[in-house]
Amino acid sequence: MALKKGASAKKILENSRKAFASWKKTTPAERARKLARIREAILEDIDLIVEEIVKNTGKADTDALMSDVLPTLEMIQYYEKNAARILAREKRKTPLMFINNSSFVEYKPLGVVLVISPWNYPFQLSLVPAITALAAGNTVILKPSSATSFIGRTLERTMRRAGLPKNVFQVFRGNGRKAQELIKAGPDLVFFTGSTGTGKKVMRTASENLVPVELELGGKDPMIVFEDADLERAADAAVYGAFANAGQTCVSIERLYVQESVMEEFLGKLLEKTRGIRVGSGSDCDVGAMITKEQLMIVEEHIDDALAKGARLLTKRKKKGLFLYPQVLSNVNHGMKVMKQETFGPVLPVMAFKTEKQAVELANDSDYGLNSSVWTKDIKKAERVVRALETGNAYINDAVKNIGNPHLPFGGAKKSGIGAYHGPEGLRRMSQACSVMVSKGKGKEPNWFPYTTGLYQTVKKLAQTNYGNLNLIEKTRNYLSLYKKIKR
Ligand code: NAD
């Protein structure tokens, strides 16, 4: 599985195609058994995997285990149990026009899936697309982020233990240039998770060979707290949603809108909980480090921009190396970077709203549309707000962890992505749907040549009967006479 240093993108793709020739012949049930082995191999190695993630990302231990490894296990088990059913031949109806025919959809593997993954959840965001592709019968080339290339070794070890056949899963290490070489080499699907800017580059290159893309991109997720919400619970969720993994989560709460009438009370709770957060490393801390100096600089730039434009910092500004202490900003507006661009750090800007309409307008005033979080005891109101929000996903009275439900598709609206993974939809998007019709007809079909005036009249009568507003007796009479003609 491990590639020799310097192996070209073309060679890797060639290896993957060769492996595909036999992997595609496996049944979904055989592949489910391999997924089970992958799950078991992860569990055998779980502490080591967590240790490797923590060492290379600065995450808190519990974050690595609970938010990177656990959702991956859940997703593997979901496809283990459900892939055969989701990919099974699906019978479809056949219209009367196609009398003597039956129809079905067959789901076939696509070929080679290139997975390009980011650094923020290196395990989950590499392995979940990879196992989805494998479950659908594809082979996989993984290009992890160069900031977390260690995950390549971790996953090679896991796949080796699971006994995956040679080259069914390969890792290609390198930067964005290397990823571009792989896209140009012509895989059958590019599954990309990363920033919106890079997503555009991926799509541009893939379009040259018409390679389909799945893009899971950035977010600027809003949380809306109405005055009738459980404020204590909402404040707990807000600090978790905004600051977990040091805010470096695609579905982090990046904007908080609170109804004016409860703003003061809510802010009090929010600040108290923010002050209680333990920053550091190990299993007894809440928020770990930021991944790189560059990422930290982006976050600080957003804070500085907001302060220069009149925002107030309600927390003490403090950092130690790559550890940035959680920050809460008020007096913010949509002219500030912190309200419009993805911050991807432990910063929570809070803004007041008066009405439901205004809350929706503020939340939708964004290029992004990944996730959202709506808080109220009135579920009807919450559902109405969710329908009006321009996001691909939403959580009512909680935040963030809806991404971990394997039964639901996950994908972004607007500039947060194209397509979706997880759930039945995710598996089918990694498959080629082949629509099949079977004819039991004998001799010549009525639509074949030669065309005659008689055929024209028959087709016209069929159209009037099928699509016109005739009563039941007229319809039956017409169908009977058409049937006799067709039989002749
Ligand atoms: P990034 O876009 O910088 O990099 C992602 C991957 O793309 C890396 O493997 C990188 O090496 C590769 N890459 C870089 N340049 C490339 C190019 N020109 N062509 C092809 N590939 C290239 O993103 P990141 O900083 O690693 O991750 C953070 C971003 O990912 C955030 O925007 C976050 O919101 C997003 N994200 C989205 C989801 C989601 O599910 N929607 C999940 C996690 C992270």
Side-chain angles (χ1 to χ4, degrees), residues 192 194-200 215-220 340 342 366-370 390-392 411-418:
F192 172 81
S195 61
T196 299
T198 312
K200 287 183 190 171
L215 304 176
E216 299 291 332
L217 308 176
K220 190 76 199 165
K340 296 295 273 187
E342 190 179 40
S366 173
D367 288 341
Y368 294 103
L370 195 54
E390 296 159 352
T391 60
K414 294 160 104 176
K415 292 197 171 60
S416 287
I418 294 180

PDB file of all heavy atoms in Angstrom, residues 192 194-200 215-220 340 342 366-370 390-392 411-418:
ATOM      1  N   PHE A 192     -13.400  16.066  -2.437  1.00  0.00           N
ATOM      2  CA  PHE A 192     -12.528  17.068  -1.821  1.00  0.00           C
ATOM      3  C   PHE A 192     -13.169  17.660  -0.570  1.00  0.00           C
ATOM      4  O   PHE A 192     -14.326  18.083  -0.585  1.00  0.00           O
ATOM      5  CB  PHE A 192     -12.252  18.199  -2.822  1.00  0.00           C
ATOM      6  CG  PHE A 192     -11.524  19.365  -2.210  1.00  0.00           C
ATOM      7  CD1 PHE A 192     -10.146  19.336  -2.039  1.00  0.00           C
ATOM      8  CD2 PHE A 192     -12.221  20.491  -1.775  1.00  0.00           C
ATOM      9  CE1 PHE A 192      -9.472  20.401  -1.448  1.00  0.00           C
ATOM     10  CE2 PHE A 192     -11.557  21.557  -1.183  1.00  0.00           C
ATOM     11  CZ  PHE A 192     -10.184  21.510  -1.025  1.00  0.00           C
ATOM     12  N   GLY A 194     -12.177  20.736   2.072  1.00  0.00           N
ATOM     13  CA  GLY A 194     -11.206  21.797   2.363  1.00  0.00           C
ATOM     14  C   GLY A 194     -11.850  23.155   2.182  1.00  0.00           C
ATOM     15  O   GLY A 194     -13.075  23.288   2.242  1.00  0.00           O
ATOM     16  N   SER A 195     -11.021  24.157   1.937  1.00  0.00           N
ATOM     17  CA  SER A 195     -11.546  25.520   1.878  1.00  0.00           C
ATOM     18  C   SER A 195     -12.247  25.779   0.542  1.00  0.00           C
ATOM     19  O   SER A 195     -11.991  25.092  -0.454  1.00  0.00           O
ATOM     20  CB  SER A 195     -10.401  26.510   2.065  1.00  0.00           C
ATOM     21  OG  SER A 195      -9.470  26.330   1.018  1.00  0.00           O
ATOM     22  N   THR A 196     -13.084  26.790   0.531  1.00  0.00           N
ATOM     23  CA  THR A 196     -13.842  27.131  -0.680  1.00  0.00           C
ATOM     24  C   THR A 196     -12.890  27.557  -1.805  1.00  0.00           C
ATOM     25  O   THR A 196     -13.081  27.179  -2.961  1.00  0.00           O
ATOM     26  CB  THR A 196     -14.860  28.241  -0.344  1.00  0.00           C
ATOM     27  OG1 THR A 196     -15.739  27.700   0.655  1.00  0.00           O
ATOM     28  CG2 THR A 196     -15.679  28.654  -1.545  1.00  0.00           C
ATOM     29  N   GLY A 197     -11.835  28.303  -1.446  1.00  0.00           N
ATOM     30  CA  GLY A 197     -10.876  28.746  -2.458  1.00  0.00           C
ATOM     31  C   GLY A 197     -10.218  27.570  -3.161  1.00  0.00           C
ATOM     32  O   GLY A 197     -10.137  27.521  -4.398  1.00  0.00           O
ATOM     33  N   THR A 198      -9.759  26.594  -2.382  1.00  0.00           N
ATOM     34  CA  THR A 198      -9.103  25.422  -2.988  1.00  0.00           C
ATOM     35  C   THR A 198     -10.131  24.587  -3.759  1.00  0.00           C
ATOM     36  O   THR A 198      -9.819  24.044  -4.820  1.00  0.00           O
ATOM     37  CB  THR A 198      -8.420  24.557  -1.900  1.00  0.00           C
ATOM     38  OG1 THR A 198      -7.650  25.407  -1.068  1.00  0.00           O
ATOM     39  CG2 THR A 198      -7.504  23.527  -2.513  1.00  0.00           C
ATOM     40  N   GLY A 199     -11.344  24.526  -3.232  1.00  0.00           N
ATOM     41  CA  GLY A 199     -12.410  23.771  -3.912  1.00  0.00           C
ATOM     42  C   GLY A 199     -12.611  24.262  -5.339  1.00  0.00           C
ATOM     43  O   GLY A 199     -12.815  23.477  -6.267  1.00  0.00           O
ATOM     44  N   LYS A 200     -12.536  25.580  -5.528  1.00  0.00           N
ATOM     45  CA  LYS A 200     -12.711  26.145  -6.881  1.00  0.00           C
ATOM     46  C   LYS A 200     -11.587  25.660  -7.798  1.00  0.00           C
ATOM     47  O   LYS A 200     -11.825  25.332  -8.956  1.00  0.00           O
ATOM     48  CB  LYS A 200     -12.676  27.676  -6.819  1.00  0.00           C
ATOM     49  CG  LYS A 200     -13.918  28.287  -6.223  1.00  0.00           C
ATOM     50  CD  LYS A 200     -13.803  29.808  -6.281  1.00  0.00           C
ATOM     51  CE  LYS A 200     -14.901  30.459  -5.479  1.00  0.00           C
ATOM     52  NZ  LYS A 200     -14.709  31.891  -5.333  1.00  0.00           N
ATOM     53  N   LEU A 215     -17.659  18.382  -3.387  1.00  0.00           N
ATOM     54  CA  LEU A 215     -16.911  19.401  -2.651  1.00  0.00           C
ATOM     55  C   LEU A 215     -17.554  19.648  -1.287  1.00  0.00           C
ATOM     56  O   LEU A 215     -18.725  20.025  -1.209  1.00  0.00           O
ATOM     57  CB  LEU A 215     -16.863  20.706  -3.452  1.00  0.00           C
ATOM     58  CG  LEU A 215     -16.282  20.635  -4.877  1.00  0.00           C
ATOM     59  CD1 LEU A 215     -16.389  21.990  -5.566  1.00  0.00           C
ATOM     60  CD2 LEU A 215     -14.838  20.170  -4.862  1.00  0.00           C
ATOM     61  N   GLU A 216     -16.790  19.406  -0.246  1.00  0.00           N
ATOM     62  CA  GLU A 216     -17.233  19.695   1.135  1.00  0.00           C
ATOM     63  C   GLU A 216     -16.384  20.870   1.602  1.00  0.00           C
ATOM     64  O   GLU A 216     -15.204  20.691   1.923  1.00  0.00           O
ATOM     65  CB  GLU A 216     -17.017  18.467   2.033  1.00  0.00           C
ATOM     66  CG  GLU A 216     -17.781  17.224   1.607  1.00  0.00           C
ATOM     67  CD  GLU A 216     -19.289  17.353   1.798  1.00  0.00           C
ATOM     68  OE1 GLU A 216     -19.723  18.104   2.684  1.00  0.00           O
ATOM     69  OE2 GLU A 216     -20.031  16.712   1.024  1.00  0.00           O
ATOM     70  N   LEU A 217     -16.972  22.067   1.629  1.00  0.00           N
ATOM     71  CA  LEU A 217     -16.158  23.281   1.785  1.00  0.00           C
ATOM     72  C   LEU A 217     -16.410  24.015   3.106  1.00  0.00           C
ATOM     73  O   LEU A 217     -16.996  23.464   4.027  1.00  0.00           O
ATOM     74  CB  LEU A 217     -16.410  24.186   0.579  1.00  0.00           C
ATOM     75  CG  LEU A 217     -16.229  23.499  -0.788  1.00  0.00           C
ATOM     76  CD1 LEU A 217     -16.592  24.435  -1.927  1.00  0.00           C
ATOM     77  CD2 LEU A 217     -14.832  22.943  -0.968  1.00  0.00           C
ATOM     78  N   GLY A 218     -15.973  25.241   3.134  1.00  0.00           N
ATOM     79  CA  GLY A 218     -16.002  26.011   4.381  1.00  0.00           C
ATOM     80  C   GLY A 218     -17.391  26.437   4.836  1.00  0.00           C
ATOM     81  O   GLY A 218     -18.383  26.251   4.137  1.00  0.00           O
ATOM     82  N   GLY A 219     -17.448  27.017   6.022  1.00  0.00           N
ATOM     83  CA  GLY A 219     -18.733  27.462   6.570  1.00  0.00           C
ATOM     84  C   GLY A 219     -18.592  28.726   7.403  1.00  0.00           C
ATOM     85  O   GLY A 219     -17.472  29.167   7.720  1.00  0.00           O
ATOM     86  N   LYS A 220     -19.718  29.325   7.708  1.00  0.00           N
ATOM     87  CA  LYS A 220     -19.768  30.493   8.605  1.00  0.00           C
ATOM     88  C   LYS A 220     -21.072  30.327   9.371  1.00  0.00           C
ATOM     89  O   LYS A 220     -22.009  31.127   9.248  1.00  0.00           O
ATOM     90  CB  LYS A 220     -19.759  31.778   7.751  1.00  0.00           C
ATOM     91  CG  LYS A 220     -19.576  33.053   8.546  1.00  0.00           C
ATOM     92  CD  LYS A 220     -18.150  33.252   8.976  1.00  0.00           C
ATOM     93  CE  LYS A 220     -18.028  34.216  10.121  1.00  0.00           C
ATOM     94  NZ  LYS A 220     -16.709  34.148  10.786  1.00  0.00           N
ATOM     95  N   LYS A 340     -18.250  37.723   8.137  1.00  0.00           N
ATOM     96  CA  LYS A 340     -18.454  37.359   6.737  1.00  0.00           C
ATOM     97  C   LYS A 340     -17.503  36.270   6.232  1.00  0.00           C
ATOM     98  O   LYS A 340     -17.864  35.469   5.376  1.00  0.00           O
ATOM     99  CB  LYS A 340     -18.293  38.610   5.841  1.00  0.00           C
ATOM    100  CG  LYS A 340     -19.328  39.680   6.083  1.00  0.00           C
ATOM    101  CD  LYS A 340     -20.729  39.233   5.715  1.00  0.00           C
ATOM    102  CE  LYS A 340     -21.041  39.470   4.253  1.00  0.00           C
ATOM    103  NZ  LYS A 340     -22.451  39.177   3.957  1.00  0.00           N
ATOM    104  N   GLU A 342     -14.742  32.969   6.819  1.00  0.00           N
ATOM    105  CA  GLU A 342     -14.571  31.858   7.761  1.00  0.00           C
ATOM    106  C   GLU A 342     -13.379  32.174   8.671  1.00  0.00           C
ATOM    107  O   GLU A 342     -12.277  32.411   8.182  1.00  0.00           O
ATOM    108  CB  GLU A 342     -14.311  30.559   6.990  1.00  0.00           C
ATOM    109  CG  GLU A 342     -14.354  29.338   7.882  1.00  0.00           C
ATOM    110  CD  GLU A 342     -14.120  28.042   7.104  1.00  0.00           C
ATOM    111  OE1 GLU A 342     -13.261  28.023   6.210  1.00  0.00           O
ATOM    112  OE2 GLU A 342     -14.790  27.043   7.422  1.00  0.00           O
ATOM    113  N   SER A 366     -24.824  35.656   3.956  1.00  0.00           N
ATOM    114  CA  SER A 366     -23.528  34.988   3.971  1.00  0.00           C
ATOM    115  C   SER A 366     -23.330  34.252   2.645  1.00  0.00           C
ATOM    116  O   SER A 366     -24.297  33.785   2.046  1.00  0.00           O
ATOM    117  CB  SER A 366     -23.499  33.963   5.123  1.00  0.00           C
ATOM    118  OG  SER A 366     -22.317  33.200   5.065  1.00  0.00           O
ATOM    119  N   ASP A 367     -22.084  34.165   2.210  1.00  0.00           N
ATOM    120  CA  ASP A 367     -21.784  33.370   1.001  1.00  0.00           C
ATOM    121  C   ASP A 367     -21.886  31.886   1.318  1.00  0.00           C
ATOM    122  O   ASP A 367     -22.012  31.061   0.424  1.00  0.00           O
ATOM    123  CB  ASP A 367     -20.352  33.649   0.525  1.00  0.00           C
ATOM    124  CG  ASP A 367     -20.230  35.023  -0.094  1.00  0.00           C
ATOM    125  OD1 ASP A 367     -21.275  35.587  -0.479  1.00  0.00           O
ATOM    126  OD2 ASP A 367     -19.094  35.540  -0.175  1.00  0.00           O
ATOM    127  N   TYR A 368     -21.765  31.552   2.602  1.00  0.00           N
ATOM    128  CA  TYR A 368     -21.713  30.143   3.003  1.00  0.00           C
ATOM    129  C   TYR A 368     -23.086  29.610   3.384  1.00  0.00           C
ATOM    130  O   TYR A 368     -23.996  30.383   3.700  1.00  0.00           O
ATOM    131  CB  TYR A 368     -20.783  29.973   4.200  1.00  0.00           C
ATOM    132  CG  TYR A 368     -19.338  30.285   3.882  1.00  0.00           C
ATOM    133  CD1 TYR A 368     -18.756  31.484   4.280  1.00  0.00           C
ATOM    134  CD2 TYR A 368     -18.551  29.371   3.186  1.00  0.00           C
ATOM    135  CE1 TYR A 368     -17.421  31.771   3.994  1.00  0.00           C
ATOM    136  CE2 TYR A 368     -17.225  29.645   2.898  1.00  0.00           C
ATOM    137  CZ  TYR A 368     -16.668  30.847   3.304  1.00  0.00           C
ATOM    138  OH  TYR A 368     -15.355  31.111   3.020  1.00  0.00           O
ATOM    139  N   GLY A 369     -23.214  28.274   3.419  1.00  0.00           N
ATOM    140  CA  GLY A 369     -24.484  27.666   3.819  1.00  0.00           C
ATOM    141  C   GLY A 369     -24.288  26.235   4.275  1.00  0.00           C
ATOM    142  O   GLY A 369     -24.902  25.317   3.745  1.00  0.00           O
ATOM    143  N   LEU A 370     -23.425  26.042   5.262  1.00  0.00           N
ATOM    144  CA  LEU A 370     -23.115  24.671   5.681  1.00  0.00           C
ATOM    145  C   LEU A 370     -24.131  24.170   6.718  1.00  0.00           C
ATOM    146  O   LEU A 370     -25.050  23.445   6.406  1.00  0.00           O
ATOM    147  CB  LEU A 370     -21.675  24.610   6.202  1.00  0.00           C
ATOM    148  CG  LEU A 370     -21.061  23.217   6.355  1.00  0.00           C
ATOM    149  CD1 LEU A 370     -21.150  22.430   5.055  1.00  0.00           C
ATOM    150  CD2 LEU A 370     -19.608  23.292   6.812  1.00  0.00           C
ATOM    151  N   GLU A 390     -30.735  29.314   4.414  1.00  0.00           N
ATOM    152  CA  GLU A 390     -30.092  28.790   3.197  1.00  0.00           C
ATOM    153  C   GLU A 390     -28.879  27.948   3.583  1.00  0.00           C
ATOM    154  O   GLU A 390     -27.729  28.301   3.307  1.00  0.00           O
ATOM    155  CB  GLU A 390     -29.679  29.967   2.308  1.00  0.00           C
ATOM    156  CG  GLU A 390     -30.871  30.773   1.820  1.00  0.00           C
ATOM    157  CD  GLU A 390     -30.516  32.187   1.384  1.00  0.00           C
ATOM    158  OE1 GLU A 390     -29.364  32.622   1.599  1.00  0.00           O
ATOM    159  OE2 GLU A 390     -31.403  32.860   0.849  1.00  0.00           O
ATOM    160  N   THR A 391     -29.131  26.835   4.295  1.00  0.00           N
ATOM    161  CA  THR A 391     -28.018  25.962   4.686  1.00  0.00           C
ATOM    162  C   THR A 391     -28.358  24.516   4.304  1.00  0.00           C
ATOM    163  O   THR A 391     -29.532  24.148   4.223  1.00  0.00           O
ATOM    164  CB  THR A 391     -27.751  26.021   6.211  1.00  0.00           C
ATOM    165  OG1 THR A 391     -28.924  25.594   6.913  1.00  0.00           O
ATOM    166  CG2 THR A 391     -27.373  27.411   6.661  1.00  0.00           C
ATOM    167  N   GLY A 392     -27.322  23.717   4.112  1.00  0.00           N
ATOM    168  CA  GLY A 392     -27.526  22.317   3.733  1.00  0.00           C
ATOM    169  C   GLY A 392     -27.924  21.447   4.912  1.00  0.00           C
ATOM    170  O   GLY A 392     -28.441  20.336   4.735  1.00  0.00           O
ATOM    171  N   GLY A 411     -24.027  17.869   3.441  1.00  0.00           N
ATOM    172  CA  GLY A 411     -23.423  18.641   2.356  1.00  0.00           C
ATOM    173  C   GLY A 411     -23.823  20.091   2.491  1.00  0.00           C
ATOM    174  O   GLY A 411     -24.824  20.418   3.130  1.00  0.00           O
ATOM    175  N   GLY A 412     -23.040  20.967   1.896  1.00  0.00           N
ATOM    176  CA  GLY A 412     -23.280  22.391   2.065  1.00  0.00           C
ATOM    177  C   GLY A 412     -24.084  23.004   0.938  1.00  0.00           C
ATOM    178  O   GLY A 412     -24.069  22.527  -0.193  1.00  0.00           O
ATOM    179  N   ALA A 413     -24.799  24.102   1.274  1.00  0.00           N
ATOM    180  CA  ALA A 413     -25.467  24.915   0.257  1.00  0.00           C
ATOM    181  C   ALA A 413     -24.542  26.083  -0.087  1.00  0.00           C
ATOM    182  O   ALA A 413     -23.497  26.267   0.538  1.00  0.00           O
ATOM    183  CB  ALA A 413     -26.799  25.429   0.807  1.00  0.00           C
ATOM    184  N   LYS A 414     -24.908  26.863  -1.072  1.00  0.00           N
ATOM    185  CA  LYS A 414     -24.157  28.052  -1.502  1.00  0.00           C
ATOM    186  C   LYS A 414     -22.670  27.717  -1.693  1.00  0.00           C
ATOM    187  O   LYS A 414     -22.351  26.680  -2.261  1.00  0.00           O
ATOM    188  CB  LYS A 414     -24.393  29.191  -0.499  1.00  0.00           C
ATOM    189  CG  LYS A 414     -25.853  29.667  -0.517  1.00  0.00           C
ATOM    190  CD  LYS A 414     -26.230  30.398   0.734  1.00  0.00           C
ATOM    191  CE  LYS A 414     -26.303  31.881   0.572  1.00  0.00           C
ATOM    192  NZ  LYS A 414     -26.764  32.552   1.799  1.00  0.00           N
ATOM    193  N   LYS A 415     -21.767  28.538  -1.150  1.00  0.00           N
ATOM    194  CA  LYS A 415     -20.334  28.268  -1.403  1.00  0.00           C
ATOM    195  C   LYS A 415     -19.748  27.278  -0.389  1.00  0.00           C
ATOM    196  O   LYS A 415     -18.530  27.169  -0.241  1.00  0.00           O
ATOM    197  CB  LYS A 415     -19.561  29.572  -1.419  1.00  0.00           C
ATOM    198  CG  LYS A 415     -19.930  30.435  -2.626  1.00  0.00           C
ATOM    199  CD  LYS A 415     -18.923  31.509  -2.901  1.00  0.00           C
ATOM    200  CE  LYS A 415     -19.180  32.215  -4.212  1.00  0.00           C
ATOM    201  NZ  LYS A 415     -20.476  32.875  -4.316  1.00  0.00           N
ATOM    202  N   SER A 416     -20.617  26.564   0.323  1.00  0.00           N
ATOM    203  CA  SER A 416     -20.126  25.551   1.268  1.00  0.00           C
ATOM    204  C   SER A 416     -20.010  24.175   0.630  1.00  0.00           C
ATOM    205  O   SER A 416     -19.622  23.222   1.303  1.00  0.00           O
ATOM    206  CB  SER A 416     -21.037  25.481   2.499  1.00  0.00           C
ATOM    207  OG  SER A 416     -20.838  26.614   3.304  1.00  0.00           O
ATOM    208  N   GLY A 417     -20.342  24.056  -0.630  1.00  0.00           N
ATOM    209  CA  GLY A 417     -20.083  22.762  -1.255  1.00  0.00           C
ATOM    210  C   GLY A 417     -21.020  22.373  -2.364  1.00  0.00           C
ATOM    211  O   GLY A 417     -22.016  23.041  -2.637  1.00  0.00           O
ATOM    212  N   ILE A 418     -20.657  21.258  -2.971  1.00  0.00           N
ATOM    213  CA  ILE A 418     -21.472  20.665  -4.032  1.00  0.00           C
ATOM    214  C   ILE A 418     -21.571  19.185  -3.712  1.00  0.00           C
ATOM    215  O   ILE A 418     -20.558  18.522  -3.509  1.00  0.00           O
ATOM    216  CB  ILE A 418     -20.805  20.859  -5.409  1.00  0.00           C
ATOM    217  CG1 ILE A 418     -20.779  22.349  -5.769  1.00  0.00           C
ATOM    218  CG2 ILE A 418     -21.518  20.037  -6.477  1.00  0.00           C
ATOM    219  CD1 ILE A 418     -20.137  22.657  -7.098  1.00  0.00           C
TER     220      ILE A 418
END
